[in-house]
Amino acid sequence: MHRVVITEGDAAVCEILIEAGLLSDAAGHLPHKEDRRQVAILTQPTVRTRADAVAKAIRGRGVEASVIPLPDGEAAKTLSIVEEVALALNHLGLTRDDTIFGIGGGAATDAAGFIAATYLRGIECVLAPTTLLGAVDASVGGKTGVNVGGKNLVGVFRHAARVLIDIDVLESLPLDLRRQGTAEALKTGFIGDPELVELYRQHGIDAPLDEVVRRAIDVKAGVVSRDFREGGLRAVLNYGHTAGHAVEVAAGVSHGEAVAIGMVAAGVVGERTVGFDRRLEQEQLIAFLGLPTRSPDVDLFDVERLMALDKKRDAGGIRFVVLEDFGVPRVVHPDDATVRDALHAIGID
Ligand SMILES: NC(=O)c1ccc[n+]([C@@H]2O[C@H](COP(=O)([O-])OP(=O)(O)OC[C@H]3O[C@@H](n4cnc5c(N)ncnc54)[C@H](O)[C@@H]3O)[C@@H](O)[C@H]2O)c1
Ligand SMILES: [Zn+2]
């Protein structure tokens, strides 16, 4: 079993366990807690059977367990669902000694994390991500939230006490979901682990998931331990997200695809601003993984407007994370001509 700990100062605030088959024994891997009497499992329709099995195993250990179904995908991330679930938790009599256990993709764990952070002003949260994106990104790092008009507009920073990652569950994902997570995992390689980049170069999309997940989480946990509330360093996790997010909104591509395209754009900005000389190598690897390197046809002015509105802009203008080399990220404020060239490189004129 691989174990990663996220720290705040000297305190361990979140423990991440990674192993094949872990979900089958999730009941045995809840944090030790004498007074726990109940676990409320919040889950998605696609993994309901797994959640039911976990509930049964928890009951087998003499602790009450209930399954509260969430709607699938983004429909779980609304304040009205938060209200419904809070009423259900109150009805069950969940107390501060009890535990919320989110099982599912990033939408389910974002919602479960937010509910655990706010119900009774915060009770213990355990998460078991069942998508690769959830495992390497959403469930790790303590950002929770729901959508209110804008995506993730309402939320809090709060770590899950424990995250249980079952590699067997991730192995069985459909290709599209694997690709989504691969874009974010590759991103962590680019910003913090050249050996992960090498692993993808050798194996393509079939790179061994246990090593991918371990390496990607080591990078993210390291960054978050040094900067939980996005004071500065955490921005490097947004590599590929400045142009990527604008393309996601303008072209309606999935988040993972948008990040892949955004990293290609960031490669150009890096080449111009800090002399990054592996732009083509990076682009070839993205393509080799079956991820897109060009945006669908979108309007240049739309994309520029979206980038200007983005929260990744600050007083110095549009902020881009770039690479000096694989594993060496920097934050720069490129001039307008450089941004245009980068957009041109991803097919936006
Ligand atoms: N909190 C953060 O730091 C953070 C970071 C990145 C993304 N996110 C959030 O994560 C969400 C995206 O994550 P996602 O793609 O996992 O979303 P998701 O939860 O919507 O899952 C995608 C789809 O996969 C299905 N699914 C889940 N597990 C499955 C399995 N084992 N087999 C087959 N299908 C399965 C889900 O039911 C859903 O239909 C977004 O809401 C995003 O905002 C949060
Ligand atoms: Zn992302």
Side-chain angles (χ1 to χ4, degrees):
M1 169 140 31
H2 186 72
R3 182 171 168 272
V4 183
V5 172
I6 297 182
T7 52
E8 245 186 288
D10 290 336
V13 286
C14 170
E15 186 180 35
I16 302 150
L17 305 180
I18 306 164
E19 195 180 52
L22 199 56
L23 203 51
S24 330
D25 191 24
H29 286 99
L30 295 178
H32 177 75
K33 207 163 190 260
E34 279 307 329
D35 300 330
R36 181 191 294 120
R37 288 176 40 237
Q38 278 199 65
V39 177
I41 298 176
L42 311 190
T43 195
Q44 286 173 326
T46 40
V47 288
R48 175 69 197 249
T49 320
R50 293 185 189 278
D52 286 338
V54 171
K56 193 171 164 202
I58 291 173
R59 279 184 221 113
R61 289 171 175 258
V63 175
E64 253 322 301
S66 327
V67 176
I68 300 177
L70 298 171
D72 199 42
E74 294 301 299
K77 290 177 57 170
T78 71
L79 283 174
S80 55
I81 295 296
V82 172
E83 182 175 12
E84 265 180 45
V85 173
L87 289 169
L89 297 176
N90 189 39
H91 185 74
L92 287 167
L94 224 75
T95 73
R96 283 225 181 91
D97 293 326
D98 298 325
T99 301
I100 286 182
F101 191 174
I103 302 180
T109 56
D110 272 14
F114 181 70
I115 291 162
T118 50
Y119 177 73
L120 300 179
R121 300 193 178 83
I123 74 172
E124 182 181 66
C125 179
V126 177
L127 299 176
T130 61
T131 63
L132 183 57
L133 188 104
V136 300
D137 204 354
S139 67
V140 174
K143 280 196 194 177
T144 75
V146 296
N147 308 323
V148 180
K151 212 162 147 41
N152 304 319
L153 199 70
V154 171
V156 299
F157 282 105
R158 186 171 182 266
H159 288 292
R162 190 167 284 182
V163 180
L164 304 175
I165 300 179
D166 185 340
I167 298 297
D168 282 346
V169 173
L170 306 183
E171 292 283 4
S172 65
L173 285 174
L175 184 59
D176 178 51
L177 284 176
R178 180 143 174 166
R179 266 206 203 102
Q180 296 292 323
T182 297
E184 296 284 5
L186 179 66
K187 173 202 76 182
T188 63
F190 286 145
I191 62 166
D193 184 355
E195 285 181 46
L196 176 52
V197 175
E198 189 50 39
L199 195 70
Y200 273 127
R201 200 198 319 272
Q202 278 172 21
H203 302 273
I205 187 104
D206 296 322
L209 273 182
D210 53 350
E211 191 170 352
V212 164
V213 170
R214 255 192 286 131
R215 287 185 173 278
I217 288 180
D218 279 342
V219 173
K220 183 160 185 187
V223 170
V224 171
S225 292
R226 280 174 281 156
D227 174 23
F228 181 35
R229 284 168 207 279
E230 255 172 0
L233 174 70
R234 190 163 175 163
V236 300
L237 294 168
N238 289 328
Y239 185 56
H241 284 60
T242 305
H245 190 244
V247 168
E248 181 177 354
V249 175
V253 297
S254 71
H255 183 71
E257 288 173 328
V259 170
I261 297 162
M263 291 192 292
V264 175
V268 175
V269 178
E271 189 175 60
R272 296 291 172 81
T273 54
V274 298
F276 177 53
D277 62 4
R278 304 178 82 170
R279 175 174 72 83
L280 284 177
E281 198 185 323
Q282 175 188 265
E283 184 173 330
Q284 281 161 3
L285 179 55
I286 292 169
F288 178 52
L289 295 172
L291 287 162
T293 57
R294 296 289 179 275
S295 169
D297 196 17
V298 285
D299 188 72
L300 170 67
F301 298 107
D302 271 354
V303 172
E304 284 184 335
R305 185 181 49 82
L306 286 161
M307 281 171 50
L309 288 176
D310 196 81
K311 58 187 177 216
K312 286 174 277 302
R313 184 188 165 87
D314 58 28
I318 294 174
R319 193 169 65 171
F320 258 85
V321 180
V322 295
L323 303 180
E324 282 177 16
D325 194 358
F326 293 156
V328 190
R330 282 255 318 261
V331 176
V332 297
H333 293 91
D335 59 32
D336 292 349
T338 303
V339 173
R340 279 236 165 141
D341 286 346
L343 294 178
H344 180 73
I346 56 172
I348 302 173
D349 296 295

